[in-house]
Amino acid sequence: MDQKNRQGKITEEKRKEGIKQDVKNQELLINLFDKDIYPNNRVIGNYSIDKKNTSIVVPLLHTNDSMRINYYLPKIKEFIKKGKCPPFIYAVMLDQFHLYNGNKQFYGSYNIARILVEDYPKYNRRRAKIGLPSLEFETHRLNKLKSKM
């Protein structure tokens, strides 16, 4: 449902509906997070149930900067420490924030091809601290996935 208003030609009506949906999603997420519940597949189901994508990353990427930095990212970090959330969620949220604000990504969770190889050690140290694999491994994994298509 979250992406319905973001596909095709974006009209003013679709834009307003998208904002309404973002507000609803934010309320739902805060309600869950305040109860120390991370909405993983055990909580919200998975694709095999209703053939709908249940990834929580999309609604999290549609949060405003202030809420993301001051509320969601600290909560996500807690969930990662408790083993409830994959570290990629934290990385992509922070990287998108940096990219949208004119800065370089911090973890390299977006387009790896744009990261200079000589910068890999810096990114890999950051990635290791939150439990992400190295950029070399991620590049290898992505290449394997592409070769299977």
Side-chain angles (χ1 to χ4, degrees):
M1 184 59 110
D2 185 77
Q3 293 300 294
K4 182 178 86 174
N5 294 306
R6 292 178 170 85
Q7 296 173 346
K9 185 176 186 219
I10 307 298
T11 63
E12 185 62 19
E13 182 182 339
K14 277 186 166 185
R15 190 186 69 73
K16 286 179 180 177
E17 285 301 314
I19 291 169
K20 281 185 195 175
Q21 187 63 50
D22 290 346
V23 169
K24 282 182 188 177
N25 289 342
Q26 184 166 299
E27 289 170 1
L28 289 169
L29 288 170
I30 290 171
N31 185 32
L32 290 171
F33 283 17
D34 284 348
K35 294 175 183 171
D36 196 38
I37 298 171
Y38 177 75
N40 60 22
N41 286 348
R42 282 188 229 132
V43 174
I44 59 174
N46 64 31
Y47 184 81
S48 66
I49 294 171
D50 58 6
K51 305 299 183 235
K52 292 183 180 176
N53 184 1
T54 57
S55 174
I56 198 63
V57 74
V58 174
L60 286 169
L61 291 176
H62 293 152
T63 56
N64 70 53
D65 287 356
S66 177
M67 281 297 290
R68 184 179 304 197
I69 295 299
N70 297 306
Y71 179 79
Y72 290 109
L73 284 172
K75 288 284 192 182
I76 293 292
K77 204 172 226 181
E78 288 176 30
F79 288 133
I80 292 168
K81 289 178 185 174
K82 294 175 182 178
K84 295 180 178 184
C85 172
F88 178 76
I89 302 290
Y90 184 87
V92 78
M93 287 178 71
L94 188 62
D95 281 351
Q96 185 203 54
F97 169 81
H98 282 299
L99 290 170
Y100 282 14
N101 286 285
N103 302 310
K104 290 182 178 180
Q105 53 187 325
F106 192 78
Y107 292 107
S109 62
Y110 274 77
N111 192 344
I112 294 173
R114 292 185 177 213
I115 298 173
L116 300 174
V117 174
E118 57 263 23
D119 289 338
Y120 274 27
K122 171 179 65 174
Y123 281 94
N124 287 339
R125 283 190 296 278
R126 293 174 186 165
R127 292 170 67 87
K129 284 182 182 178
I130 65 167
L132 287 172
S134 70
L135 288 172
E136 292 86 353
F137 176 81
E138 195 62 24
T139 301
H140 169 75
R141 186 183 73 79
L142 293 172
N143 287 336
K144 285 286 191 189
L145 288 172
K146 285 178 190 175
S147 71
K148 291 182 179 185
M149 294 180 157

